[in-house]
Every structure is written in structure tokens, then in C-alpha cells.
Amino acid sequence: MSLDGVFAADDPAFIPYLAAGDPSYEASQRYVEALVEGGADVIELGLPFSEPIAEGTTIQNAVVRALESGMTPERYFEFVADLDVEVPIVCMTYYNLVFQYGGEHGPRPFVERAAEVGIDGFVVVDLPAEEADPLREACDEFGLDLVFIVAPTTTDDRLEAMRERVSGYVYVQARTGVTGAREDVSDQTAATLARIGDWDVPKAVGFGISDGDHAERIVSAGADGIIVGSALIDIIAEGTSAGSQTQSDGVAEGDSVAETAQRLTAKARELKDGAIRGLQDRPQPEQ
Amino acid sequence: MSTDDIDATDTSGTDDLDGTFGRYGGQYVPEVLMPAIDELEDAYRRYVLHNEDSFMDEFRRRLADFGGRPIPLQRADRLSDRYDTEVYLKREDLLHGGAHKLNNALGQVLLAKYMGKDRIIAETGAGQHGTATAMAAAHLDMPCEIYMGETDIARQRPNVFRMRINGAEVTPVTVGRGTLKEAISETMRDWATNVSDTHYVIGSVVGPHPFPRMVRDFQSVISEEAREQIKEKAGRLPDSVVACAGGGSNTMGTFHHFVDDEAVDLVAVEAGGSSLSVDEDRGVAPNSASLSTGNEGVLHGARTKLLQDGDGQIMESHSVSAGLDYSGVGPELAHLVDTGRVTPVNVDDDAALEAFHRLSQDEGIIPALETAHAFGYLEENPDAVGDLTVVNVSGRGDKDLETVIEETAKRDLDIAPDMSVFEQVGAGGMMDMGGDHAGGDGSGGDHAGGHE
């Protein structure tokens, strides 16, 4: 797979985020499949790090569950190799795991292994463009994409540094702060999209998108795709606590995983449909 | 010292701040924070390095009038006899607030004011940095919120009261094990959310550039004074300078003006905790000796030496002293250790506790448990410090009395006074406090216990 074919002018991309291994290896595999059934075009698959400084409470808790279920970088790579889905996978993580995997060899061994199991790109949350050259070079060598996050606070000269190094898509952070589902979607989004309007990579917007209406508004404001994490992880968290309840009541764990997977598919459809409506809402360009 | 002297000692040149110390340092932060640290670097350059708007003059004046500087360098008469070497104490415990922390906190809160920020946030471990920041914020009339792990809130209650009394909001951090590491992460999250009007007063020489340099510069007043004072009192430079090291702010402050004096040995005393070996299964290093045992990685914005497992997950550290209990260390200190300029050593919980009692009895100075590690080294290696040594008394130990009573009761220490009378009082007091705490917020004590 590759990120090249994902962003079509007539089909806005829906990019869900999950933490791999939340709450277990098997359940998490099922949830990824459920999201693809619901219309996911790319999966941002989190490799959990013990110090997730950019995450709000929802994803912090997902990271804790994933780590407690035994997720490690090597197991993560197996997880990706085991996935039976036909969409590109983007690995979202923090730099220390990439760095530590290669030891003295820098980020190259991590990227090589990622390419081997079929990962298509990276988002490294705490790696600004200025520190990213070693990773960029390794990505070029193995044909992987490197996504950067543009924030509402990003200055013009920093935009240039990212523009030179970005590939795959740009992750437009909808508002300042940490990840987490919100009631409203920030106005800062349209302004940020306008600032990078002439970049020749697709723009996907994330942070705070939690329902179909948000998705619609974000896409009608010009986004080529939407990224949703916390609103989906809320469903997994509910399923996980309900699951441990039903288990103690003698109901099989598989039932609660199946039920959560159904809810995820339904939520994915709502978000994807919202994104498609957003495209239809856009003023039609003159031919 | 004038600000010109700061420029003169700034070996990498004031206008070429690349933010690294050898292979360490850098700026590994989420994009949303990059503009804020760019803005901070600009302010650091203008106000601190170039004294724009007489910033440094005001800082020095407030350090004197509000903080009580200059701080004395005192000959330790009985320790000098005991070790048959001249031992001098830099008495940072006498700085307002009872620790060296105010040097940095006052500098950063004042800088935030010059930058036009109107809110202060900070993390704290032992509570000393939080206390100093709360004092500085009250002094300079800025609203202030302090993030503190709930485990640390339980073991450093006197400082929590002090922060609240100074008008600061104290927000418990319940994620993870609730110590300094989690508090720093949570403060970074607040900063990422409120970045336009808020300044993050980081408490040590850690974090993304320019924090490690800037905090070092604010703390370097310690060695600037000590270097002059020892020449005046002993007629020469010392053979060694000893300071405890957690994140490394008192360490770098105490070393900075001696770094170019190559004949002066610089000794950083880390917390050896209960053991230097690592429990990989539990992801716990029962020590805080990242300089002695850690390896290179990226945490909280900087590349430095860390306590981490083979995958790069950060390990929980441990020390009887909350202020040293951190999995990382300042990047400049990591670099100075690699180049051989600074010697890292470590002292375990038992020896630190013994040193705490010794300094209290022999010199009439009750040191912080952090500080006690430096004196533990002196006791174990009296021949390694030469004929003339300066030890930084980084803080006073009033905040640690509950911990000391509890920890002393667990051990058979010859030097400790008979604590049985306190055991009664102390045990009851601890229990009452534990009860209050758990009842007060419903989860504190239980949660911390759940992770044991």
C-alpha cells in the first residue's frame, strides 16, 4: 500500500487513530478491521510510549492499557504484519522508541523494520522538522512517508522547514492543546488550511473531531481528510469496562469485543459520511 | 558580576545558541510548543544575555532584597576535623524558601513578566521548586498553578501547604505513578493548551533548549559567589566541588563558574536509591542514577541520559529524596560527564539518611535529603575530595522531617538519635495524614498504593 492513492479529489479520507494493543492484541486487531469496514482510508496506529506528553486523558489511558497488555515495538511490528486490511498504516509514536530501537544506528533500523512489515509512513509527535533529518533520510531510503503536524501556532518560517521535509499528508492540528474529543470544532482550522493551501500534499485535520457534523464542517472548510482518535477510543474504553463487567457475569469476552467492533464500524461510517457531505457542501470550483 | 561576565563565560557565543551540549540537548517537543520555545529563546537572548531593559539588574536586585543573596560560604569546623580536610559549605539552604530553587524561579517568573505573559505554571517533585515558584509569583503578582504528582503530594505535605498559602493552585497529577516525571508531562500539556499567555517555569536544567542553558545561568550565581568566597576565605580555589544531582540545577549552578578551572574536580552525587540494578519486568530502576547507569535517549524535550528499558520506555526511578527522584538529567551535565569534566558518583538511601543525621548533629544544619547525598559521599570518600572542598548545601530539611522519622525507624542507624518518642508521634501523625488525604480527595492514597 501507499499513501499516494488515498487522497482523491472526490473522496475525503477518513483516518482513525488507535493505540495498538488497547486493550489487548486480539481485540485491537479486530477494532482496526472494524474501522476499515466502516470506511477508514488510512489507519494511524499508535505505538504506545510511556510519556505521551501531547495526549489528553483519553489517549493517555489507552496508552496505559496498551502497555499493560504487553505492547512493545517488536510486538507492534508483528501486530502490523498480522493485520488483514487493505489500507495504508501510519505509525504514530514518540521519538525515543524510534531512537532506542536502532541504538547507535539512529532511526534507520526502526524504519527498515517498519517497511518490512508494511508500514507506509510515520508521525512522530515530539520530533519537530529541525530534528527530523536522520528520520527523513531513512524514510527516503525505504520509500516511507513522514507526516508533520502543523499547529495553529506554527510560524511562517517553521512552515517552510516542514514543507521541505513533509510527505504523505500534512496533519493539521485543529486547535492548541492536547488530543481529546470536543463539543465544537475550532475556527482556527480554516485559517491554518488557508496558510498551507498551495502545498502539494493533502491536508488532513485532527484534534477534537468527534462526530459526523464536525467531519462535515472540517471537510467543507477545505480539508482533504479527517483524523479521529479520542472519540473512537472512548468507545473502546466503554467496551473495555463493560467487557470486564460481563466477563464476571459469565458472558464471553468475545461478545463484548464484537459489540464494540460494531459500534466502531458505525462511528466510522458516521464520520466518513460526514466527510463526504462536507465535500458536497463546498462551493464548486469554476471549470 | 555584571552581565558582561555572563557573556564572557558563555563559551559557545551569545548569538550562536544551537541548543546542544555535545550530542545532548535539542528541542524534541510537539509542534504546538515550538513557537513558544522560539519566543523564549529570543527573550533569553535579549533579557538575560544582553540585559535588555536592565532585566538582569532587576533580577540581581530582587535576588538580594527578596532572596537574601549573597549567600554565605561557611567553614564546616567539625566536618573539617572529621575528614582531616578543609570543608566549606555553600549555604543555599539560607536562600529565601529554604533551597537554591528560588534563583531559577525568580529569574523565570520575572522573565515571564518582561515577556508579557500573565500566567505561570510549574511542575514540582519535592515541592521545593513549586514553593519557590509560588513565592516568586506572589512576589511579582502573577497567578500561578503548580502540578504535583499525588505520590509526592502525600510525602511532601508541608510544601503543599506552603504553595497554597502563597496563593498558588496545586493540581494533583494522578496519571502513572504520580511523581515528578508525570508532573512534568502534565505541565507540558497545560503549556500546549495555553501557550499564548502562559509561561512554563521548568524547575531544573532539563527540557528543550533554551531551558537547560537558561536555568543554569540563573543558578550559576551559586558558583559565581562561591568561587570568589573560597578565594577570599581559603586563599585559593578548592580541590573539589561537590553537589547532589537529580535533574541537575543545583549541580550546574554550583559547577558552572568552576568548569574552566581544570584543577578543580567536579563531583555530581546521584541518588543510588536502594539498589543500582534494574527491575526490567516491573519497569523500575530503584535509584535515580541516570548519569552513572542511564543511557542516551529523548525525554521531555531533550536528548540526554535516561533510565529506560531496552525498548525505550522510561523507567520509574526511586530515591528516599523526592527531589532527586527523576528518570532523566540535564543534557549539559550528561555532556560534562561524557567529556570527563564531571565525575558522577552515587550514594544510597541508607548513607544519605546517615549523612542527614550527621550534618544535623555535627554542624547544626538540618539538610534536605537531596543535599544529604552530597555529604554521604564525603563520609564514604573523605580522601577523594582533596585538601579543600566546597559542598553545596542545596536546601534545608524541614520539609523532610516526616520522611526522616519514618525512614529512620525502619533502619538500625548508630548515628540516629533515639527516635522512639517520635515513632509514636510520627506514626500517629502519618496515619492521620494518610486518612485525611484519602478522605480529602477520595483517591489519593489508594491510587498511589495501587501501583506498588
Short mmCIF file of all heavy atoms in Angstrom, two decimals, chain B residues 80-127:
data_model
loop_
_atom_site.label_atom_id
_atom_site.label_comp_id
_atom_site.label_asym_id
_atom_site.label_seq_id
_atom_site.Cartn_x
_atom_site.Cartn_y
_atom_site.Cartn_z
N SER B 80 35.42 19.33 58.98
CA SER B 80 36.83 19.51 58.58
C SER B 80 37.74 18.67 59.47
O SER B 80 38.67 18.02 58.99
CB SER B 80 37.23 20.98 58.67
OG SER B 80 36.49 21.75 57.76
N ASP B 81 37.46 18.66 60.78
CA ASP B 81 38.23 17.81 61.70
C ASP B 81 38.03 16.33 61.38
O ASP B 81 38.98 15.56 61.31
CB ASP B 81 37.79 18.05 63.16
CG ASP B 81 38.30 19.39 63.66
OD1 ASP B 81 39.15 19.99 62.97
OD2 ASP B 81 37.82 19.84 64.72
N ARG B 82 36.78 15.99 61.19
CA ARG B 82 36.43 14.58 61.00
C ARG B 82 37.13 13.99 59.77
O ARG B 82 37.61 12.87 59.80
CB ARG B 82 34.92 14.47 60.84
CG ARG B 82 34.41 13.05 60.60
CD ARG B 82 32.87 13.01 60.47
NE ARG B 82 32.40 11.65 60.25
CZ ARG B 82 32.14 10.78 61.21
NH1 ARG B 82 32.29 11.14 62.48
NH2 ARG B 82 31.74 9.56 60.94
N TYR B 83 37.16 14.77 58.69
CA TYR B 83 37.73 14.24 57.45
C TYR B 83 39.17 14.71 57.22
O TYR B 83 39.76 14.38 56.19
CB TYR B 83 36.85 14.65 56.26
CG TYR B 83 35.42 14.16 56.39
CD1 TYR B 83 34.35 15.04 56.23
CD2 TYR B 83 35.16 12.83 56.69
CE1 TYR B 83 33.04 14.60 56.36
CE2 TYR B 83 33.84 12.39 56.84
CZ TYR B 83 32.79 13.28 56.67
OH TYR B 83 31.51 12.84 56.81
N ASP B 84 39.69 15.48 58.16
CA ASP B 84 41.05 16.00 58.04
C ASP B 84 41.27 16.68 56.69
O ASP B 84 42.27 16.47 55.99
CB ASP B 84 42.06 14.84 58.22
CG ASP B 84 43.46 15.40 58.46
OD1 ASP B 84 43.55 16.57 58.89
OD2 ASP B 84 44.44 14.68 58.17
N THR B 85 40.28 17.48 56.32
CA THR B 85 40.36 18.25 55.09
C THR B 85 39.51 19.51 55.30
O THR B 85 38.63 19.52 56.15
CB THR B 85 39.85 17.41 53.90
OG1 THR B 85 40.17 18.06 52.69
CG2 THR B 85 38.36 17.18 53.95
N GLU B 86 39.83 20.56 54.59
CA GLU B 86 39.06 21.79 54.77
C GLU B 86 37.72 21.68 54.02
O GLU B 86 37.70 21.56 52.79
CB GLU B 86 39.83 22.99 54.22
CG GLU B 86 41.02 23.38 55.07
CD GLU B 86 40.59 23.90 56.45
OE1 GLU B 86 39.94 24.97 56.50
OE2 GLU B 86 40.89 23.21 57.45
N VAL B 87 36.62 21.68 54.77
CA VAL B 87 35.30 21.55 54.16
C VAL B 87 34.56 22.87 54.30
O VAL B 87 34.38 23.38 55.41
CB VAL B 87 34.48 20.43 54.84
CG1 VAL B 87 33.09 20.34 54.21
CG2 VAL B 87 35.21 19.09 54.77
N TYR B 88 34.17 23.44 53.17
CA TYR B 88 33.36 24.67 53.18
C TYR B 88 31.97 24.38 52.65
O TYR B 88 31.80 23.58 51.71
CB TYR B 88 34.03 25.76 52.35
CG TYR B 88 35.16 26.44 53.09
CD1 TYR B 88 36.44 25.89 53.10
CD2 TYR B 88 34.94 27.62 53.79
CE1 TYR B 88 37.47 26.50 53.80
CE2 TYR B 88 35.96 28.25 54.48
CZ TYR B 88 37.23 27.68 54.49
OH TYR B 88 38.23 28.31 55.18
N LEU B 89 30.99 25.04 53.25
CA LEU B 89 29.59 24.81 52.88
C LEU B 89 29.03 26.05 52.20
O LEU B 89 29.06 27.15 52.75
CB LEU B 89 28.76 24.53 54.13
CG LEU B 89 29.29 23.43 55.06
CD1 LEU B 89 28.37 23.32 56.29
CD2 LEU B 89 29.40 22.10 54.33
N LYS B 90 28.52 25.87 50.99
CA LYS B 90 27.78 26.96 50.35
C LYS B 90 26.34 26.83 50.82
O LYS B 90 25.67 25.85 50.53
CB LYS B 90 27.89 26.84 48.82
CG LYS B 90 27.19 27.95 48.05
CD LYS B 90 27.76 29.32 48.36
CE LYS B 90 27.09 30.39 47.48
NZ LYS B 90 27.38 31.74 47.98
N ARG B 91 25.91 27.83 51.57
CA ARG B 91 24.67 27.69 52.34
C ARG B 91 23.41 28.10 51.57
O ARG B 91 22.66 28.97 52.00
CB ARG B 91 24.80 28.48 53.65
CG ARG B 91 25.89 27.97 54.60
CD ARG B 91 25.51 26.64 55.24
NE ARG B 91 24.16 26.66 55.83
CZ ARG B 91 23.88 27.13 57.05
NH1 ARG B 91 24.83 27.58 57.83
NH2 ARG B 91 22.65 27.10 57.50
N GLU B 92 23.13 27.44 50.44
CA GLU B 92 21.92 27.76 49.67
C GLU B 92 20.64 27.45 50.46
O GLU B 92 19.56 27.91 50.09
CB GLU B 92 21.91 27.01 48.35
CG GLU B 92 22.93 27.49 47.33
CD GLU B 92 22.76 28.94 46.91
OE1 GLU B 92 21.63 29.34 46.56
OE2 GLU B 92 23.75 29.69 46.96
N ASP B 93 20.79 26.66 51.54
CA ASP B 93 19.62 26.44 52.39
C ASP B 93 19.15 27.73 53.05
O ASP B 93 18.03 27.80 53.54
CB ASP B 93 19.95 25.38 53.46
CG ASP B 93 21.12 25.80 54.35
OD1 ASP B 93 22.16 26.24 53.82
OD2 ASP B 93 20.97 25.70 55.59
N LEU B 94 20.02 28.74 53.04
CA LEU B 94 19.63 30.02 53.64
C LEU B 94 18.92 30.95 52.65
O LEU B 94 18.42 32.00 53.04
CB LEU B 94 20.87 30.74 54.20
CG LEU B 94 21.57 30.01 55.34
CD1 LEU B 94 22.82 30.77 55.77
CD2 LEU B 94 20.62 29.84 56.54
N LEU B 95 18.89 30.57 51.39
CA LEU B 95 18.15 31.38 50.43
C LEU B 95 16.66 31.35 50.80
O LEU B 95 16.17 30.34 51.29
CB LEU B 95 18.36 30.82 49.01
CG LEU B 95 17.76 31.61 47.84
CD1 LEU B 95 18.44 32.97 47.70
CD2 LEU B 95 17.89 30.82 46.53
N HIS B 96 15.96 32.44 50.53
CA HIS B 96 14.53 32.51 50.83
C HIS B 96 13.81 31.30 50.25
O HIS B 96 14.03 30.96 49.09
CB HIS B 96 13.95 33.80 50.25
CG HIS B 96 12.48 33.94 50.47
ND1 HIS B 96 11.90 33.69 51.70
CD2 HIS B 96 11.47 34.27 49.64
CE1 HIS B 96 10.59 33.90 51.60
NE2 HIS B 96 10.31 34.25 50.36
N GLY B 97 13.00 30.66 51.06
CA GLY B 97 12.32 29.45 50.63
C GLY B 97 13.02 28.20 51.10
O GLY B 97 12.44 27.12 51.08
N GLY B 98 14.29 28.32 51.46
CA GLY B 98 14.99 27.18 52.05
C GLY B 98 15.69 26.27 51.06
O GLY B 98 16.06 25.16 51.41
N ALA B 99 15.88 26.73 49.84
CA ALA B 99 16.62 25.93 48.85
C ALA B 99 17.07 26.84 47.72
O ALA B 99 16.57 27.96 47.56
CB ALA B 99 15.77 24.80 48.31
N HIS B 100 18.00 26.30 46.91
CA HIS B 100 18.53 27.05 45.77
C HIS B 100 17.48 27.35 44.73
O HIS B 100 17.70 28.16 43.82
CB HIS B 100 19.65 26.24 45.11
CG HIS B 100 19.13 25.01 44.42
ND1 HIS B 100 18.66 23.92 45.10
CD2 HIS B 100 18.96 24.73 43.11
CE1 HIS B 100 18.23 23.01 44.24
NE2 HIS B 100 18.41 23.47 43.03
N LYS B 101 16.32 26.73 44.82
CA LYS B 101 15.32 26.80 43.75
C LYS B 101 14.89 28.22 43.40
O LYS B 101 14.52 28.50 42.27
CB LYS B 101 14.09 25.97 44.13
CG LYS B 101 14.35 24.48 44.15
CD LYS B 101 14.59 23.93 42.76
CE LYS B 101 14.75 22.42 42.74
NZ LYS B 101 15.10 21.92 41.40
N LEU B 102 14.92 29.13 44.40
CA LEU B 102 14.42 30.48 44.12
C LEU B 102 15.25 31.20 43.05
O LEU B 102 14.71 32.03 42.32
CB LEU B 102 14.39 31.32 45.41
CG LEU B 102 13.74 32.70 45.24
CD1 LEU B 102 12.22 32.58 45.11
CD2 LEU B 102 14.09 33.64 46.39
N ASN B 103 16.55 30.91 42.97
CA ASN B 103 17.39 31.58 41.96
C ASN B 103 16.76 31.46 40.57
O ASN B 103 16.66 32.44 39.82
CB ASN B 103 18.78 30.93 41.90
CG ASN B 103 19.54 31.05 43.20
OD1 ASN B 103 19.44 32.08 43.89
ND2 ASN B 103 20.28 30.01 43.55
N ASN B 104 16.33 30.26 40.25
CA ASN B 104 15.73 29.99 38.94
C ASN B 104 14.29 30.48 38.86
O ASN B 104 13.90 31.13 37.89
CB ASN B 104 15.81 28.48 38.66
CG ASN B 104 14.99 28.06 37.48
OD1 ASN B 104 15.06 28.67 36.40
ND2 ASN B 104 14.17 27.02 37.65
N ALA B 105 13.51 30.17 39.89
CA ALA B 105 12.09 30.51 39.85
C ALA B 105 11.90 32.03 39.73
O ALA B 105 11.10 32.52 38.93
CB ALA B 105 11.38 29.98 41.09
N LEU B 106 12.67 32.79 40.52
CA LEU B 106 12.55 34.24 40.46
C LEU B 106 12.97 34.75 39.08
O LEU B 106 12.30 35.62 38.51
CB LEU B 106 13.42 34.87 41.56
CG LEU B 106 13.31 36.39 41.72
CD1 LEU B 106 11.91 36.81 42.14
CD2 LEU B 106 14.32 36.89 42.76
N GLY B 107 14.04 34.20 38.56
CA GLY B 107 14.50 34.61 37.22
C GLY B 107 13.45 34.36 36.16
O GLY B 107 13.15 35.25 35.35
N GLN B 108 12.85 33.18 36.19
CA GLN B 108 11.88 32.85 35.14
C GLN B 108 10.55 33.59 35.29
O GLN B 108 9.94 33.97 34.30
CB GLN B 108 11.63 31.34 35.10
CG GLN B 108 12.77 30.57 34.47
CD GLN B 108 12.31 29.20 34.01
OE1 GLN B 108 11.37 29.08 33.22
NE2 GLN B 108 12.95 28.17 34.49
N VAL B 109 10.08 33.77 36.53
CA VAL B 109 8.82 34.49 36.70
C VAL B 109 9.02 35.95 36.27
O VAL B 109 8.16 36.53 35.60
CB VAL B 109 8.30 34.40 38.16
CG1 VAL B 109 7.06 35.26 38.34
CG2 VAL B 109 7.99 32.95 38.52
N LEU B 110 10.17 36.50 36.61
CA LEU B 110 10.45 37.88 36.19
C LEU B 110 10.54 37.95 34.66
O LEU B 110 10.00 38.87 34.03
CB LEU B 110 11.75 38.37 36.83
CG LEU B 110 12.09 39.85 36.60
CD1 LEU B 110 11.04 40.76 37.24
CD2 LEU B 110 13.48 40.18 37.18
N LEU B 111 11.18 36.95 34.06
CA LEU B 111 11.30 36.92 32.61
C LEU B 111 9.91 36.83 31.96
O LEU B 111 9.63 37.51 30.96
CB LEU B 111 12.15 35.73 32.18
CG LEU B 111 12.52 35.66 30.69
CD1 LEU B 111 13.42 36.83 30.30
CD2 LEU B 111 13.23 34.34 30.36
N ALA B 112 9.04 36.01 32.55
CA ALA B 112 7.67 35.88 32.02
C ALA B 112 6.97 37.24 32.04
O ALA B 112 6.24 37.59 31.11
CB ALA B 112 6.89 34.87 32.85
N LYS B 113 7.23 38.01 33.08
CA LYS B 113 6.63 39.34 33.18
C LYS B 113 7.16 40.24 32.07
O LYS B 113 6.41 40.96 31.42
CB LYS B 113 6.95 39.93 34.55
CG LYS B 113 5.72 40.46 35.25
CD LYS B 113 6.00 41.06 36.60
CE LYS B 113 4.86 42.01 36.95
NZ LYS B 113 3.73 41.38 37.59
N TYR B 114 8.46 40.20 31.86
CA TYR B 114 9.06 41.00 30.79
C TYR B 114 8.51 40.57 29.42
O TYR B 114 8.41 41.38 28.50
CB TYR B 114 10.59 40.86 30.79
CG TYR B 114 11.29 41.83 31.73
CD1 TYR B 114 11.04 41.81 33.10
CD2 TYR B 114 12.22 42.76 31.25
CE1 TYR B 114 11.69 42.67 33.97
CE2 TYR B 114 12.88 43.64 32.11
CZ TYR B 114 12.61 43.59 33.48
OH TYR B 114 13.27 44.45 34.32
N MET B 115 8.18 39.28 29.29
CA MET B 115 7.66 38.77 28.02
C MET B 115 6.18 39.07 27.83
O MET B 115 5.61 38.78 26.78
CB MET B 115 7.85 37.24 27.95
CG MET B 115 9.28 36.79 27.82
SD MET B 115 9.43 34.98 28.04
CE MET B 115 8.74 34.39 26.48
N GLY B 116 5.55 39.63 28.86
CA GLY B 116 4.14 39.97 28.74
C GLY B 116 3.19 38.80 28.98
O GLY B 116 2.01 38.87 28.67
N LYS B 117 3.69 37.72 29.54
CA LYS B 117 2.83 36.59 29.88
C LYS B 117 2.04 36.94 31.14
O LYS B 117 2.51 37.72 31.98
CB LYS B 117 3.66 35.33 30.14
CG LYS B 117 4.55 34.93 28.98
CD LYS B 117 3.75 34.32 27.85
CE LYS B 117 4.66 33.95 26.69
NZ LYS B 117 3.92 33.49 25.51
N ASP B 118 0.84 36.36 31.28
CA ASP B 118 0.13 36.69 32.51
C ASP B 118 -0.30 35.48 33.34
O ASP B 118 -1.15 35.58 34.20
CB ASP B 118 -1.07 37.61 32.24
CG ASP B 118 -1.90 37.15 31.08
OD1 ASP B 118 -2.12 35.92 30.97
OD2 ASP B 118 -2.33 37.98 30.28
N ARG B 119 0.35 34.35 33.08
CA ARG B 119 0.06 33.19 33.92
C ARG B 119 1.31 32.32 34.01
O ARG B 119 2.03 32.17 33.03
CB ARG B 119 -1.10 32.40 33.31
CG ARG B 119 -1.43 31.10 34.02
CD ARG B 119 -2.71 30.48 33.44
NE ARG B 119 -2.94 29.16 34.01
CZ ARG B 119 -2.65 28.02 33.40
NH1 ARG B 119 -2.11 28.02 32.20
NH2 ARG B 119 -2.89 26.87 33.99
N ILE B 120 1.54 31.76 35.22
CA ILE B 120 2.71 30.92 35.48
C ILE B 120 2.25 29.50 35.79
O ILE B 120 1.33 29.30 36.58
CB ILE B 120 3.47 31.47 36.73
CG1 ILE B 120 4.07 32.85 36.44
CG2 ILE B 120 4.53 30.49 37.20
CD1 ILE B 120 5.11 32.87 35.37
N ILE B 121 2.90 28.53 35.15
CA ILE B 121 2.69 27.14 35.56
C ILE B 121 4.05 26.51 35.85
O ILE B 121 5.07 26.95 35.32
CB ILE B 121 1.95 26.31 34.49
CG1 ILE B 121 2.67 26.35 33.14
CG2 ILE B 121 0.51 26.78 34.35
CD1 ILE B 121 2.09 25.42 32.09
N ALA B 122 4.05 25.50 36.69
CA ALA B 122 5.29 24.79 37.01
C ALA B 122 4.96 23.40 37.51
O ALA B 122 3.85 23.15 38.00
CB ALA B 122 6.10 25.54 38.06
N GLU B 123 5.93 22.52 37.35
CA GLU B 123 5.83 21.20 37.94
C GLU B 123 6.64 21.21 39.22
O GLU B 123 7.51 22.06 39.41
CB GLU B 123 6.40 20.15 36.99
CG GLU B 123 7.92 19.88 37.14
CD GLU B 123 8.81 21.04 36.74
OE1 GLU B 123 8.33 21.96 36.04
OE2 GLU B 123 10.00 21.04 37.14
N THR B 124 6.37 20.26 40.11
CA THR B 124 7.26 20.13 41.24
C THR B 124 7.32 18.68 41.70
O THR B 124 6.36 17.93 41.54
CB THR B 124 6.85 21.08 42.40
OG1 THR B 124 7.94 21.20 43.31
CG2 THR B 124 5.62 20.56 43.14
N GLY B 125 8.48 18.29 42.21
CA GLY B 125 8.66 16.94 42.72
C GLY B 125 8.62 16.97 44.23
O GLY B 125 7.60 16.65 44.85
N ALA B 126 9.71 17.42 44.84
CA ALA B 126 9.76 17.54 46.29
C ALA B 126 8.89 18.69 46.80
O ALA B 126 8.63 18.80 47.99
CB ALA B 126 11.19 17.74 46.75
N GLY B 127 8.50 19.56 45.89
CA GLY B 127 7.74 20.72 46.31
C GLY B 127 8.59 21.96 46.49
O GLY B 127 8.08 23.06 46.69
#
